Amino acid sequence: MSDTKKGRILLALTGWAPDVWTQELAKAAPGRQVTLEPDGETDPSIEYAIVWKQRPGLLSKLPNLKVIFSLGAGVDHVFADPDLPDVPIVRVVSPNLTTRMSEYVVWQVLDHHRLGPRYRAQQASRTWYEDRDQKAAADITVGIMGLGELGRDAAAKLQVMGFAVTGWSRTQKQVEGVTCHAGEAGLDAFLASADIFVVLLPLTPDTHEILDRDLFRRMTKRGPLGAPVLINAGRGGLQNEADILAALDEGLLSAVTLDVFQQEPLDPESPFWSHPKVTITPHAAAASMPSSLIAPMVEQIDAFERGEPLLNLVDHKAGY
């Protein structure tokens, strides 16, 4: 039997079936009521909201809402609500999600490093070409844009493989084994430092379409891969998609892997599908199990009600 003294949890999802999430909440928080809709726009019983692209205005009038939990690694979908209330927002940090993103980054970096796209094209054309000019990982530098939880973990795993790693973030960070650059003042040095660029930035007004032709022109072209490789596993809004296609055709980029797009699902008519230098994955880089996301949120709710501070808080002003 649920404890009616405990505030209810609102599960607000757009585009995702709620059943698996409600089942996990029932297991993780058996003493709480979970609802998919408030009982009226000023429902006083709701104290917590777990959201993925919540309906605009849904949260703004809930008088007792205490915390918003994001079901995504990023929180731009939360801030898309123009009437977002001024309550703490907690971003998800899950070892499962972090590990899956690092698996994806290592997979794609190795694929480009070991000429996977070339060999797949040769297989398709039944061409046997013995390429003896395989570089060692130590000859390749990977630059990571975004040194949060995901970027730091990916950097550590790439170093284990033997790659040199550089990084760039909005503010200065210290990451073991990584040459770190920060802000606009450090961007040119970062862009000159790497052969493969992995993008794990949050989407904010400052990073919207940061991946544009100007940025690609500033990347080094002197490394062992020639023109650099771009891997975006962050957010679709980070990339100017017309500029990516133009950069591939102009030789500013040698290849790209894109897991995210400005419009999802990707339009069947998009030129990305058939471009020979493009690898597409369907926003699957860090697909995580619901159980691994819900349990830490419920633990935070319980700790918060014991008077403990919330972890992994989002800076409302910065947007991440």
Side-chain angles (χ1 to χ4, degrees), residues 35-84:
T35 182
L36 301 180
E37 285 288 341
D39 294 336
E41 63 178 7
T42 60
D43 185 345
S45 69
I46 292 173
E47 295 184 356
Y48 306 98
I50 297 176
V51 305
W52 173 254
K53 299 183 179 179
Q54 78 277 6
R55 186 170 72 249
L58 178 65
L59 309 178
S60 61
K61 296 180 180 179
L62 299 175
N64 295 323
L65 184 64
K66 296 177 179 177
V67 186
I68 300 168
F69 293 89
S70 168
L71 272 177
V75 293
D76 49 285
H77 69 98
V78 181
F79 283 104
D81 184 348
D83 297 317
L84 193 67

mmCIF file of all heavy atoms in Angstrom, residues 35-84:
data_model
loop_
_atom_site.group_PDB
_atom_site.id
_atom_site.type_symbol
_atom_site.label_atom_id
_atom_site.label_comp_id
_atom_site.label_asym_id
_atom_site.label_seq_id
_atom_site.Cartn_x
_atom_site.Cartn_y
_atom_site.Cartn_z
ATOM 1 N N THR A 35 2.308 9.165 -11.425
ATOM 2 C CA THR A 35 1.235 9.551 -12.332
ATOM 3 C C THR A 35 1.821 10.061 -13.636
ATOM 4 O O THR A 35 2.930 10.608 -13.667
ATOM 5 C CB THR A 35 0.336 10.629 -11.699
ATOM 6 O OG1 THR A 35 -0.733 10.942 -12.604
ATOM 7 C CG2 THR A 35 1.120 11.899 -11.395
ATOM 8 N N LEU A 36 1.073 9.888 -14.709
ATOM 9 C CA LEU A 36 1.494 10.392 -16.015
ATOM 10 C C LEU A 36 0.916 11.774 -16.312
ATOM 11 O O LEU A 36 1.349 12.426 -17.263
ATOM 12 C CB LEU A 36 1.076 9.419 -17.123
ATOM 13 C CG LEU A 36 1.634 8.003 -17.002
ATOM 14 C CD1 LEU A 36 1.134 7.138 -18.160
ATOM 15 C CD2 LEU A 36 3.156 8.013 -16.975
ATOM 16 N N GLU A 37 -0.058 12.190 -15.518
ATOM 17 C CA GLU A 37 -0.672 13.509 -15.681
ATOM 18 C C GLU A 37 -1.027 14.065 -14.305
ATOM 19 O O GLU A 37 -1.479 13.316 -13.430
ATOM 20 C CB GLU A 37 -1.941 13.427 -16.532
ATOM 21 C CG GLU A 37 -1.701 13.239 -18.018
ATOM 22 C CD GLU A 37 -1.150 14.477 -18.699
ATOM 23 O OE1 GLU A 37 -1.270 15.586 -18.128
ATOM 24 O OE2 GLU A 37 -0.594 14.327 -19.805
ATOM 25 N N PRO A 38 -0.863 15.359 -14.093
ATOM 26 C CA PRO A 38 -1.308 15.951 -12.833
ATOM 27 C C PRO A 38 -2.833 15.902 -12.718
ATOM 28 O O PRO A 38 -3.543 15.839 -13.729
ATOM 29 C CB PRO A 38 -0.814 17.404 -12.927
ATOM 30 C CG PRO A 38 0.129 17.452 -14.073
ATOM 31 C CD PRO A 38 -0.249 16.348 -14.996
ATOM 32 N N ASP A 39 -3.320 15.937 -11.490
ATOM 33 C CA ASP A 39 -4.752 16.089 -11.260
ATOM 34 C C ASP A 39 -5.075 17.576 -11.315
ATOM 35 O O ASP A 39 -5.181 18.267 -10.287
ATOM 36 C CB ASP A 39 -5.148 15.503 -9.901
ATOM 37 C CG ASP A 39 -4.970 14.004 -9.851
ATOM 38 O OD1 ASP A 39 -4.985 13.376 -10.931
ATOM 39 O OD2 ASP A 39 -4.814 13.457 -8.740
ATOM 40 N N GLY A 40 -5.140 18.094 -12.526
ATOM 41 C CA GLY A 40 -5.301 19.530 -12.708
ATOM 42 C C GLY A 40 -3.952 20.209 -12.765
ATOM 43 O O GLY A 40 -2.959 19.712 -12.253
ATOM 44 N N GLU A 41 -3.905 21.385 -13.362
ATOM 45 C CA GLU A 41 -2.613 22.041 -13.606
ATOM 46 C C GLU A 41 -1.946 22.531 -12.332
ATOM 47 O O GLU A 41 -0.751 22.837 -12.333
ATOM 48 C CB GLU A 41 -2.783 23.197 -14.594
ATOM 49 C CG GLU A 41 -3.679 24.318 -14.127
ATOM 50 C CD GLU A 41 -3.765 25.450 -15.143
ATOM 51 O OE1 GLU A 41 -3.231 25.282 -16.258
ATOM 52 O OE2 GLU A 41 -4.344 26.482 -14.815
ATOM 53 N N THR A 42 -2.671 22.609 -11.213
ATOM 54 C CA THR A 42 -2.078 23.033 -9.948
ATOM 55 C C THR A 42 -2.102 21.906 -8.913
ATOM 56 O O THR A 42 -2.288 22.142 -7.714
ATOM 57 C CB THR A 42 -2.807 24.266 -9.385
ATOM 58 O OG1 THR A 42 -4.191 23.929 -9.167
ATOM 59 C CG2 THR A 42 -2.709 25.439 -10.336
ATOM 60 N N ASP A 43 -1.884 20.704 -9.350
ATOM 61 C CA ASP A 43 -1.916 19.523 -8.486
ATOM 62 C C ASP A 43 -0.892 19.669 -7.354
ATOM 63 O O ASP A 43 0.318 19.652 -7.587
ATOM 64 C CB ASP A 43 -1.595 18.282 -9.332
ATOM 65 C CG ASP A 43 -1.721 16.982 -8.564
ATOM 66 O OD1 ASP A 43 -1.781 17.030 -7.328
ATOM 67 O OD2 ASP A 43 -1.746 15.927 -9.212
ATOM 68 N N PRO A 44 -1.343 19.778 -6.105
ATOM 69 C CA PRO A 44 -0.405 19.985 -4.993
ATOM 70 C C PRO A 44 0.278 18.710 -4.523
ATOM 71 O O PRO A 44 1.206 18.782 -3.698
ATOM 72 C CB PRO A 44 -1.306 20.546 -3.888
ATOM 73 C CG PRO A 44 -2.645 19.930 -4.154
ATOM 74 C CD PRO A 44 -2.753 19.816 -5.652
ATOM 75 N N SER A 45 -0.150 17.566 -5.019
ATOM 76 C CA SER A 45 0.412 16.298 -4.529
ATOM 77 C C SER A 45 1.734 15.947 -5.200
ATOM 78 O O SER A 45 2.466 15.079 -4.716
ATOM 79 C CB SER A 45 -0.587 15.160 -4.756
ATOM 80 O OG SER A 45 -0.725 14.871 -6.142
ATOM 81 N N ILE A 46 2.057 16.606 -6.307
ATOM 82 C CA ILE A 46 3.265 16.255 -7.063
ATOM 83 C C ILE A 46 4.457 17.042 -6.515
ATOM 84 O O ILE A 46 4.453 18.279 -6.478
ATOM 85 C CB ILE A 46 3.076 16.534 -8.563
ATOM 86 C CG1 ILE A 46 2.044 15.572 -9.140
ATOM 87 C CG2 ILE A 46 4.406 16.410 -9.310
ATOM 88 C CD1 ILE A 46 1.666 15.865 -10.561
ATOM 89 N N GLU A 47 5.470 16.311 -6.089
ATOM 90 C CA GLU A 47 6.672 16.936 -5.555
ATOM 91 C C GLU A 47 7.902 16.696 -6.417
ATOM 92 O O GLU A 47 8.898 17.419 -6.290
ATOM 93 C CB GLU A 47 6.933 16.435 -4.133
ATOM 94 C CG GLU A 47 5.840 16.848 -3.156
ATOM 95 C CD GLU A 47 6.139 16.452 -1.726
ATOM 96 O OE1 GLU A 47 7.171 15.772 -1.488
ATOM 97 O OE2 GLU A 47 5.344 16.805 -0.836
ATOM 98 N N TYR A 48 7.852 15.702 -7.298
ATOM 99 C CA TYR A 48 9.001 15.367 -8.135
ATOM 100 C C TYR A 48 8.521 15.086 -9.553
ATOM 101 O O TYR A 48 7.433 14.542 -9.759
ATOM 102 C CB TYR A 48 9.745 14.141 -7.582
ATOM 103 C CG TYR A 48 10.138 14.310 -6.138
ATOM 104 C CD1 TYR A 48 9.364 13.762 -5.109
ATOM 105 C CD2 TYR A 48 11.260 15.051 -5.787
ATOM 106 C CE1 TYR A 48 9.702 13.950 -3.784
ATOM 107 C CE2 TYR A 48 11.605 15.243 -4.464
ATOM 108 C CZ TYR A 48 10.819 14.694 -3.468
ATOM 109 O OH TYR A 48 11.152 14.886 -2.151
ATOM 110 N N ALA A 49 9.344 15.460 -10.526
ATOM 111 C CA ALA A 49 9.020 15.191 -11.927
ATOM 112 C C ALA A 49 10.223 14.533 -12.595
ATOM 113 O O ALA A 49 11.355 15.016 -12.469
ATOM 114 C CB ALA A 49 8.652 16.477 -12.653
ATOM 115 N N ILE A 50 9.973 13.437 -13.258
ATOM 116 C CA ILE A 50 10.985 12.756 -14.075
ATOM 117 C C ILE A 50 10.567 12.951 -15.516
ATOM 118 O O ILE A 50 9.460 12.552 -15.909
ATOM 119 C CB ILE A 50 11.069 11.268 -13.706
ATOM 120 C CG1 ILE A 50 11.533 11.108 -12.254
ATOM 121 C CG2 ILE A 50 12.019 10.534 -14.652
ATOM 122 C CD1 ILE A 50 11.562 9.671 -11.766
ATOM 123 N N VAL A 51 11.433 13.580 -16.322
ATOM 124 C CA VAL A 51 10.955 14.083 -17.613
ATOM 125 C C VAL A 51 11.877 13.706 -18.769
ATOM 126 O O VAL A 51 13.088 13.543 -18.610
ATOM 127 C CB VAL A 51 10.802 15.624 -17.572
ATOM 128 C CG1 VAL A 51 9.903 16.042 -16.426
ATOM 129 C CG2 VAL A 51 12.147 16.328 -17.453
ATOM 130 N N TRP A 52 11.252 13.590 -19.914
ATOM 131 C CA TRP A 52 11.936 13.548 -21.206
ATOM 132 C C TRP A 52 11.077 14.334 -22.184
ATOM 133 O O TRP A 52 9.988 13.922 -22.549
ATOM 134 C CB TRP A 52 12.145 12.118 -21.709
ATOM 135 C CG TRP A 52 12.683 12.099 -23.110
ATOM 136 C CD1 TRP A 52 12.020 11.783 -24.258
ATOM 137 C CD2 TRP A 52 14.013 12.470 -23.523
ATOM 138 N NE1 TRP A 52 12.823 11.926 -25.359
ATOM 139 C CE2 TRP A 52 14.058 12.346 -24.927
ATOM 140 C CE3 TRP A 52 15.149 12.896 -22.835
ATOM 141 C CZ2 TRP A 52 15.215 12.625 -25.662
ATOM 142 C CZ3 TRP A 52 16.294 13.183 -23.568
ATOM 143 C CH2 TRP A 52 16.319 13.042 -24.958
ATOM 144 N N LYS A 53 11.535 15.524 -22.560
ATOM 145 C CA LYS A 53 10.811 16.398 -23.472
ATOM 146 C C LYS A 53 9.386 16.631 -22.975
ATOM 147 O O LYS A 53 8.404 16.420 -23.687
ATOM 148 C CB LYS A 53 10.801 15.819 -24.895
ATOM 149 C CG LYS A 53 12.188 15.663 -25.499
ATOM 150 C CD LYS A 53 12.131 15.147 -26.935
ATOM 151 C CE LYS A 53 13.514 15.032 -27.526
ATOM 152 N NZ LYS A 53 13.496 14.509 -28.915
ATOM 153 N N GLN A 54 9.280 17.080 -21.735
ATOM 154 C CA GLN A 54 7.966 17.312 -21.144
ATOM 155 C C GLN A 54 7.176 18.354 -21.923
ATOM 156 O O GLN A 54 7.751 19.224 -22.578
ATOM 157 C CB GLN A 54 8.116 17.754 -19.678
ATOM 158 C CG GLN A 54 8.522 19.215 -19.472
ATOM 159 C CD GLN A 54 10.013 19.447 -19.585
ATOM 160 O OE1 GLN A 54 10.777 18.555 -19.933
ATOM 161 N NE2 GLN A 54 10.451 20.665 -19.275
ATOM 162 N N ARG A 55 5.870 18.258 -21.856
ATOM 163 C CA ARG A 55 4.999 19.201 -22.542
ATOM 164 C C ARG A 55 5.214 20.606 -21.983
ATOM 165 O O ARG A 55 5.206 20.804 -20.757
ATOM 166 C CB ARG A 55 3.539 18.768 -22.353
ATOM 167 C CG ARG A 55 2.532 19.573 -23.143
ATOM 168 C CD ARG A 55 1.170 18.920 -23.089
ATOM 169 N NE ARG A 55 0.541 19.051 -21.761
ATOM 170 C CZ ARG A 55 0.340 18.044 -20.929
ATOM 171 N NH1 ARG A 55 0.732 16.802 -21.250
ATOM 172 N NH2 ARG A 55 -0.248 18.235 -19.754
ATOM 173 N N PRO A 56 5.430 21.613 -22.835
ATOM 174 C CA PRO A 56 5.647 22.973 -22.332
ATOM 175 C C PRO A 56 4.512 23.423 -21.420
ATOM 176 O O PRO A 56 3.327 23.215 -21.716
ATOM 177 C CB PRO A 56 5.701 23.817 -23.614
ATOM 178 C CG PRO A 56 6.188 22.866 -24.662
ATOM 179 C CD PRO A 56 5.570 21.543 -24.306
ATOM 180 N N GLY A 57 4.878 24.034 -20.312
ATOM 181 C CA GLY A 57 3.908 24.542 -19.360
ATOM 182 C C GLY A 57 3.393 23.524 -18.371
ATOM 183 O O GLY A 57 2.685 23.887 -17.421
ATOM 184 N N LEU A 58 3.750 22.252 -18.552
ATOM 185 C CA LEU A 58 3.222 21.193 -17.689
ATOM 186 C C LEU A 58 3.643 21.372 -16.237
ATOM 187 O O LEU A 58 2.877 21.082 -15.315
ATOM 188 C CB LEU A 58 3.693 19.830 -18.200
ATOM 189 C CG LEU A 58 3.270 18.601 -17.399
ATOM 190 C CD1 LEU A 58 1.754 18.424 -17.450
ATOM 191 C CD2 LEU A 58 3.975 17.347 -17.916
ATOM 192 N N LEU A 59 4.878 21.852 -16.015
ATOM 193 C CA LEU A 59 5.431 21.908 -14.660
ATOM 194 C C LEU A 59 5.261 23.261 -13.981
ATOM 195 O O LEU A 59 5.466 23.378 -12.773
ATOM 196 C CB LEU A 59 6.927 21.569 -14.704
ATOM 197 C CG LEU A 59 7.331 20.281 -15.438
ATOM 198 C CD1 LEU A 59 8.844 20.130 -15.418
ATOM 199 C CD2 LEU A 59 6.650 19.068 -14.828
ATOM 200 N N SER A 60 4.894 24.263 -14.733
ATOM 201 C CA SER A 60 5.031 25.642 -14.254
ATOM 202 C C SER A 60 4.107 25.994 -13.098
ATOM 203 O O SER A 60 4.424 26.877 -12.302
ATOM 204 C CB SER A 60 4.812 26.621 -15.408
ATOM 205 O OG SER A 60 3.493 26.468 -15.934
ATOM 206 N N LYS A 61 2.959 25.333 -12.974
ATOM 207 C CA LYS A 61 1.986 25.726 -11.955
ATOM 208 C C LYS A 61 1.845 24.711 -10.826
ATOM 209 O O LYS A 61 0.925 24.817 -10.008
ATOM 210 C CB LYS A 61 0.630 25.973 -12.613
ATOM 211 C CG LYS A 61 0.654 27.138 -13.593
ATOM 212 C CD LYS A 61 -0.706 27.370 -14.225
ATOM 213 C CE LYS A 61 -0.653 28.542 -15.213
ATOM 214 N NZ LYS A 61 -1.969 28.778 -15.870
ATOM 215 N N LEU A 62 2.740 23.740 -10.781
ATOM 216 C CA LEU A 62 2.679 22.753 -9.706
ATOM 217 C C LEU A 62 3.274 23.383 -8.446
ATOM 218 O O LEU A 62 4.486 23.593 -8.365
ATOM 219 C CB LEU A 62 3.445 21.492 -10.096
ATOM 220 C CG LEU A 62 2.922 20.761 -11.342
ATOM 221 C CD1 LEU A 62 3.832 19.595 -11.701
ATOM 222 C CD2 LEU A 62 1.486 20.289 -11.132
ATOM 223 N N PRO A 63 2.471 23.695 -7.437
ATOM 224 C CA PRO A 63 2.946 24.545 -6.333
ATOM 225 C C PRO A 63 3.969 23.881 -5.426
ATOM 226 O O PRO A 63 4.747 24.577 -4.768
ATOM 227 C CB PRO A 63 1.654 24.860 -5.564
ATOM 228 C CG PRO A 63 0.743 23.705 -5.858
ATOM 229 C CD PRO A 63 1.049 23.325 -7.280
ATOM 230 N N ASN A 64 3.974 22.556 -5.382
ATOM 231 C CA ASN A 64 4.863 21.861 -4.451
ATOM 232 C C ASN A 64 5.970 21.076 -5.147
ATOM 233 O O ASN A 64 6.604 20.225 -4.524
ATOM 234 C CB ASN A 64 4.052 20.934 -3.545
ATOM 235 C CG ASN A 64 3.115 21.706 -2.637
ATOM 236 O OD1 ASN A 64 3.473 22.785 -2.150
ATOM 237 N ND2 ASN A 64 1.916 21.189 -2.420
ATOM 238 N N LEU A 65 6.199 21.380 -6.431
ATOM 239 C CA LEU A 65 7.266 20.697 -7.164
ATOM 240 C C LEU A 65 8.614 21.077 -6.565
ATOM 241 O O LEU A 65 8.946 22.257 -6.433
ATOM 242 C CB LEU A 65 7.220 21.077 -8.645
ATOM 243 C CG LEU A 65 8.227 20.368 -9.552
ATOM 244 C CD1 LEU A 65 7.960 18.868 -9.607
ATOM 245 C CD2 LEU A 65 8.192 20.966 -10.963
ATOM 246 N N LYS A 66 9.398 20.073 -6.192
ATOM 247 C CA LYS A 66 10.672 20.313 -5.520
ATOM 248 C C LYS A 66 11.882 20.062 -6.398
ATOM 249 O O LYS A 66 12.896 20.756 -6.275
ATOM 250 C CB LYS A 66 10.763 19.436 -4.269
ATOM 251 C CG LYS A 66 9.725 19.749 -3.216
ATOM 252 C CD LYS A 66 9.818 18.793 -2.044
ATOM 253 C CE LYS A 66 8.779 19.121 -0.968
ATOM 254 N NZ LYS A 66 8.818 18.151 0.148
ATOM 255 N N VAL A 67 11.822 19.039 -7.270
ATOM 256 C CA VAL A 67 12.985 18.665 -8.074
ATOM 257 C C VAL A 67 12.502 18.124 -9.415
ATOM 258 O O VAL A 67 11.493 17.408 -9.491
ATOM 259 C CB VAL A 67 13.845 17.570 -7.383
ATOM 260 C CG1 VAL A 67 15.120 17.322 -8.181
ATOM 261 C CG2 VAL A 67 14.173 17.949 -5.954
ATOM 262 N N ILE A 68 13.248 18.465 -10.473
ATOM 263 C CA ILE A 68 13.039 17.891 -11.804
ATOM 264 C C ILE A 68 14.227 17.002 -12.129
ATOM 265 O O ILE A 68 15.380 17.430 -12.003
ATOM 266 C CB ILE A 68 12.909 18.995 -12.876
ATOM 267 C CG1 ILE A 68 11.722 19.914 -12.571
ATOM 268 C CG2 ILE A 68 12.774 18.386 -14.271
ATOM 269 C CD1 ILE A 68 11.714 21.180 -13.418
ATOM 270 N N PHE A 69 13.954 15.780 -12.551
ATOM 271 C CA PHE A 69 14.998 14.844 -12.954
ATOM 272 C C PHE A 69 14.928 14.631 -14.461
ATOM 273 O O PHE A 69 13.869 14.326 -15.003
ATOM 274 C CB PHE A 69 14.830 13.487 -12.243
ATOM 275 C CG PHE A 69 15.051 13.536 -10.765
ATOM 276 C CD1 PHE A 69 13.997 13.817 -9.896
ATOM 277 C CD2 PHE A 69 16.309 13.305 -10.230
ATOM 278 C CE1 PHE A 69 14.199 13.861 -8.523
ATOM 279 C CE2 PHE A 69 16.520 13.350 -8.859
ATOM 280 C CZ PHE A 69 15.463 13.630 -8.005
ATOM 281 N N SER A 70 16.063 14.786 -15.133
ATOM 282 C CA SER A 70 16.134 14.568 -16.577
ATOM 283 C C SER A 70 16.467 13.112 -16.868
ATOM 284 O O SER A 70 17.403 12.548 -16.301
ATOM 285 C CB SER A 70 17.211 15.464 -17.202
ATOM 286 O OG SER A 70 17.477 15.060 -18.531
ATOM 287 N N LEU A 71 15.719 12.505 -17.795
ATOM 288 C CA LEU A 71 15.996 11.125 -18.186
ATOM 289 C C LEU A 71 17.066 11.037 -19.269
ATOM 290 O O LEU A 71 17.403 9.930 -19.693
ATOM 291 C CB LEU A 71 14.714 10.448 -18.679
ATOM 292 C CG LEU A 71 13.868 9.772 -17.613
ATOM 293 C CD1 LEU A 71 12.596 9.214 -18.210
ATOM 294 C CD2 LEU A 71 14.653 8.682 -16.898
ATOM 295 N N GLY A 72 17.576 12.159 -19.735
ATOM 296 C CA GLY A 72 18.625 12.147 -20.747
ATOM 297 C C GLY A 72 19.935 12.643 -20.170
ATOM 298 O O GLY A 72 19.967 13.345 -19.140
ATOM 299 N N ALA A 73 21.031 12.280 -20.843
ATOM 300 C CA ALA A 73 22.337 12.762 -20.404
ATOM 301 C C ALA A 73 22.427 14.275 -20.526
ATOM 302 O O ALA A 73 23.090 14.944 -19.733
ATOM 303 C CB ALA A 73 23.439 12.094 -21.222
ATOM 304 N N GLY A 74 21.747 14.829 -21.523
ATOM 305 C CA GLY A 74 21.677 16.277 -21.683
ATOM 306 C C GLY A 74 20.382 16.811 -21.112
ATOM 307 O O GLY A 74 19.444 16.054 -20.824
ATOM 308 N N VAL A 75 20.307 18.122 -20.932
ATOM 309 C CA VAL A 75 19.106 18.730 -20.356
ATOM 310 C C VAL A 75 18.518 19.802 -21.258
ATOM 311 O O VAL A 75 17.606 20.524 -20.845
ATOM 312 C CB VAL A 75 19.401 19.321 -18.960
ATOM 313 C CG1 VAL A 75 19.715 18.219 -17.967
ATOM 314 C CG2 VAL A 75 20.530 20.341 -19.009
ATOM 315 N N ASP A 76 18.978 19.901 -22.495
ATOM 316 C CA ASP A 76 18.396 20.893 -23.395
ATOM 317 C C ASP A 76 16.916 20.629 -23.617
ATOM 318 O O ASP A 76 16.137 21.560 -23.835
ATOM 319 C CB ASP A 76 19.149 20.920 -24.726
ATOM 320 C CG ASP A 76 19.344 19.542 -25.333
ATOM 321 O OD1 ASP A 76 20.201 18.797 -24.831
ATOM 322 O OD2 ASP A 76 18.638 19.199 -26.305
ATOM 323 N N HIS A 77 16.502 19.368 -23.571
ATOM 324 C CA HIS A 77 15.080 19.045 -23.747
ATOM 325 C C HIS A 77 14.251 19.594 -22.590
ATOM 326 O O HIS A 77 13.068 19.918 -22.771
ATOM 327 C CB HIS A 77 14.895 17.527 -23.870
ATOM 328 C CG HIS A 77 15.179 16.766 -22.605
ATOM 329 N ND1 HIS A 77 14.181 16.367 -21.744
ATOM 330 C CD2 HIS A 77 16.341 16.349 -22.051
ATOM 331 C CE1 HIS A 77 14.713 15.727 -20.720
ATOM 332 N NE2 HIS A 77 16.027 15.705 -20.875
ATOM 333 N N VAL A 78 14.843 19.705 -21.410
ATOM 334 C CA VAL A 78 14.134 20.284 -20.256
ATOM 335 C C VAL A 78 13.992 21.788 -20.450
ATOM 336 O O VAL A 78 12.909 22.365 -20.280
ATOM 337 C CB VAL A 78 14.885 19.987 -18.947
ATOM 338 C CG1 VAL A 78 14.122 20.576 -17.760
ATOM 339 C CG2 VAL A 78 15.083 18.491 -18.750
ATOM 340 N N PHE A 79 15.070 22.441 -20.850
ATOM 341 C CA PHE A 79 15.065 23.895 -21.007
ATOM 342 C C PHE A 79 14.283 24.358 -22.232
ATOM 343 O O PHE A 79 14.052 25.564 -22.391
ATOM 344 C CB PHE A 79 16.500 24.420 -21.081
ATOM 345 C CG PHE A 79 17.192 24.476 -19.748
ATOM 346 C CD1 PHE A 79 18.131 23.528 -19.395
ATOM 347 C CD2 PHE A 79 16.891 25.468 -18.837
ATOM 348 C CE1 PHE A 79 18.768 23.569 -18.167
ATOM 349 C CE2 PHE A 79 17.510 25.528 -17.603
ATOM 350 C CZ PHE A 79 18.458 24.579 -17.252
ATOM 351 N N ALA A 80 13.861 23.419 -23.077
ATOM 352 C CA ALA A 80 13.028 23.804 -24.222
ATOM 353 C C ALA A 80 11.662 24.317 -23.778
ATOM 354 O O ALA A 80 10.947 24.939 -24.561
ATOM 355 C CB ALA A 80 12.854 22.612 -25.166
ATOM 356 N N ASP A 81 11.297 24.067 -22.525
ATOM 357 C CA ASP A 81 10.038 24.552 -21.959
ATOM 358 C C ASP A 81 10.200 26.022 -21.573
ATOM 359 O O ASP A 81 10.949 26.350 -20.654
ATOM 360 C CB ASP A 81 9.699 23.709 -20.728
ATOM 361 C CG ASP A 81 8.354 24.072 -20.107
ATOM 362 O OD1 ASP A 81 7.777 25.113 -20.487
ATOM 363 O OD2 ASP A 81 7.891 23.316 -19.236
ATOM 364 N N PRO A 82 9.510 26.942 -22.241
ATOM 365 C CA PRO A 82 9.692 28.365 -21.922
ATOM 366 C C PRO A 82 9.134 28.754 -20.557
ATOM 367 O O PRO A 82 9.474 29.817 -20.030
ATOM 368 C CB PRO A 82 8.931 29.072 -23.050
ATOM 369 C CG PRO A 82 7.908 28.086 -23.495
ATOM 370 C CD PRO A 82 8.546 26.734 -23.339
ATOM 371 N N ASP A 83 8.293 27.900 -19.969
ATOM 372 C CA ASP A 83 7.696 28.195 -18.666
ATOM 373 C C ASP A 83 8.283 27.318 -17.562
ATOM 374 O O ASP A 83 7.608 27.018 -16.572
ATOM 375 C CB ASP A 83 6.177 27.985 -18.728
ATOM 376 C CG ASP A 83 5.504 28.930 -19.710
ATOM 377 O OD1 ASP A 83 5.864 30.123 -19.715
ATOM 378 O OD2 ASP A 83 4.645 28.474 -20.480
ATOM 379 N N LEU A 84 9.520 26.935 -17.717
ATOM 380 C CA LEU A 84 10.154 26.044 -16.753
ATOM 381 C C LEU A 84 10.208 26.711 -15.380
ATOM 382 O O LEU A 84 10.681 27.830 -15.247
ATOM 383 C CB LEU A 84 11.572 25.704 -17.222
ATOM 384 C CG LEU A 84 12.276 24.555 -16.506
ATOM 385 C CD1 LEU A 84 11.590 23.233 -16.803
ATOM 386 C CD2 LEU A 84 13.741 24.507 -16.925
#
